[in-house]
Amino acid sequence: MLDVSNLTVNEVPPAPDKDTAAADSSSVKPVDWQDFRDHIATADQSGRRKWMYPRKVSGRFFRWRTWFSWLLLAVMFGGPFVTIGGNPLLLMNIPERKFVVLGQIFWPQDMIIFAVALLVFLVGIIIFTTVFGRLWCGWACPQTVMMEMVFRKIEYAIEGDAPSQRELNHAPWTGRKISKKFVKHGIFFALSFVVGNVLLSYIIGWRELYQIIIDPPAKHLAGLGFMLAFSLLFYGIFARFREQACTFICPYGRHQSVLVDENTILVAYDHKRGENRGPLRRGQKFTERRQTGTGDCVACNLCVAVCPTGIDIRNGVQMECVQCTACIDACDSVMDKIGAPRGLIRYASLNGIERREPLRFTPRLAGYCVVMAVLATVLGLMLFMRSDVEATVLRAPGSMFQQMPDGRFSNLYTVRVVNKTSREMPVELKLENPAGSLAVMGQGSIVVAPQKLSENSVLIELDPAAMKSGATPLVIGVYSGGKKMQTLKTSFIGPRN
Ligand code: SF4
Ligand code: SF4
């Protein structure tokens, strides 16, 4: 039989061979339902979902989180309407491959900058998580903010605190229950519709979204489909899926175990101070209690009752913990009542609790910072050197070289010019090497509208004396306002000698 009782979390037992597995199948170690490591808090013994009824919480951290969430919600809902230099604050228009961050437009041609920015973001997350754990999840993650600060509060307002909710869910379907559920889910769906539309406006822009709303439905079937899909998705998440999203879906949560270490600041239970836990006897003074060798935890379980993921923080750091601080507030309120100092559950590192060590700048953290500095420098240089105009040249598909009546040869090209600025941009193309002529077909000159791409047919003619056998390298200068913006290289195809 495989004995896993002595393994640490990082050790994996070797896979048993088929014969051993067959022999062992009758003696697989049963799940110990008393051991939190053997099962997750939100599933029962048959593997079915256990619905969480977290108790209402109040306290200083909840107050601070509430204020902060109002700020974040204002940014989230107001973001699509904020413009910088005429451009949106944030736009991730994947269908049109147009991305705007802080008013700066990034085109597919800027993908390398985008990739480096993503790397900077990821390394930033790693450093932040190594130092502060899942601070983001508890304070700023849209899932937590919307769930705990919006949907959960509505639920409390309609169905009451955890005991009333439990009672209502187990009660028969009376008129009172139906009306409460109807009102709650109606508001949940309406809010999910708003949230889904806000997300959509970050993808297509609020003007497009408004157009979808006011135009006849038949004109925007795809857009309406997305509106409905996003609304149903958010309704499903906030009405039913809830903490399961953080436990099973969120990749950030799943990676925290490889990012945190003994110096990471987390919501943690001070087991040195709290153990041995035991109830506070009537009339017992707190100081007397300590003299008997009992710790400060009075085993009231309030920290478990308020936890939205159903875990007991006294068991130590757990994957499900979203660092929401509810257990800190709950425990502080208990400590206040019994006259003990606050902070039995607090923000602390394992070393801080075990050895009373302050936060240390570890070699691992130093390594992350060096990587971050290099990437940030590269990103800064790329942004600094980023041109306002980006042009590409390709030989016109299917075209052959031609010989003109005067003996010169011509090739036809397609030149695409992207104007990354918010102003109209006149662009001039000059053939710099070898000597020859360059003409923009049709309009004769190129003027690119703000944030648009202009596609132009360009005819280049060379004298046979300037040509090499087969392919002749060409250098084309791209100018705007007399200033050279870019140099394009291509080749001119001619006859082989
Ligand atoms: S709230 Fe505090 S005192 Fe109560 S069980 Fe949790 S850790 Fe112990
Ligand atoms: S253990 Fe505490 S901080 Fe973690 S999710 Fe539960 S209540 Fe929030």
Side-chain angles (χ1 to χ4, degrees), residues 65 138 267-268 302-314 316 318 320-328 345 347:
R65 281 176 60 220
V267 172
L302 200 59
C303 51
V304 184
V306 296
C307 179
T309 61
I311 60 170
D312 185 344
I313 191 68
R314 292 171 298 173
Q318 289 151 81
E320 296 97 322
C321 177
V322 292
Q323 307 277 301
C324 72
T325 70
C327 52
I328 299 184
I345 301 175
Y347 277 115

Side-chain angles (χ1 to χ4, degrees), residues 205-216:
W206 73 267
R207 286 190 179 83
E208 274 289 318
L209 181 70
Y210 180 67
Q211 211 58 47
I212 292 176
I213 293 169
I214 59 167
D215 277 352

Side-chain angles (χ1 to χ4, degrees), residues 132-193:
F132 299 110
R134 289 175 79 174
L135 194 68
W136 158 267
C137 300
W139 289 76
C141 173
Q143 157 77 16
T144 313
V145 170
M146 290 301 299
M147 185 65 237
E148 301 305 325
M149 296 295 162
V150 181
F151 284 82
R152 185 91 67 196
K153 285 182 176 176
I154 293 169
E155 194 163 64
Y156 286 140
I158 297 171
E159 295 187 355
D161 204 349
S164 317
Q165 288 181 22
R166 191 180 278 111
E167 194 188 321
L168 186 72
N169 277 1
H170 290 106
W173 283 96
T174 58
R176 179 177 159 270
K177 179 172 175 175
I178 291 170
S179 60
K180 276 183 183 271
K181 292 289 177 194
F182 182 78
V183 171
K184 182 180 96 169
H185 287 285
I187 296 175
F188 276 12
F189 188 79
L191 262 177
S192 303
F193 179 76

Side-chain angles (χ1 to χ4, degrees), residues 430-436 462 472-477:
K430 289 183 189 170
L431 182 62
E432 299 192 326
N433 195 38
L462 291 186
T472 306
L474 290 185
V475 179
I476 302 168

Side-chain angles (χ1 to χ4, degrees), residues 269 297-301 303 314 331 334-335 344-345:
Y269 166 68
C297 174
V298 295
C300 64
N301 278 348
C303 51
R314 292 171 298 173
C331 191
V334 176
M335 294 295 117
L344 178 56
I345 301 175

Side-chain angles (χ1 to χ4, degrees), residues 23 63 128 221 238:
R63 212 166 40 248
F128 189 83
L221 286 179
F238 295 123

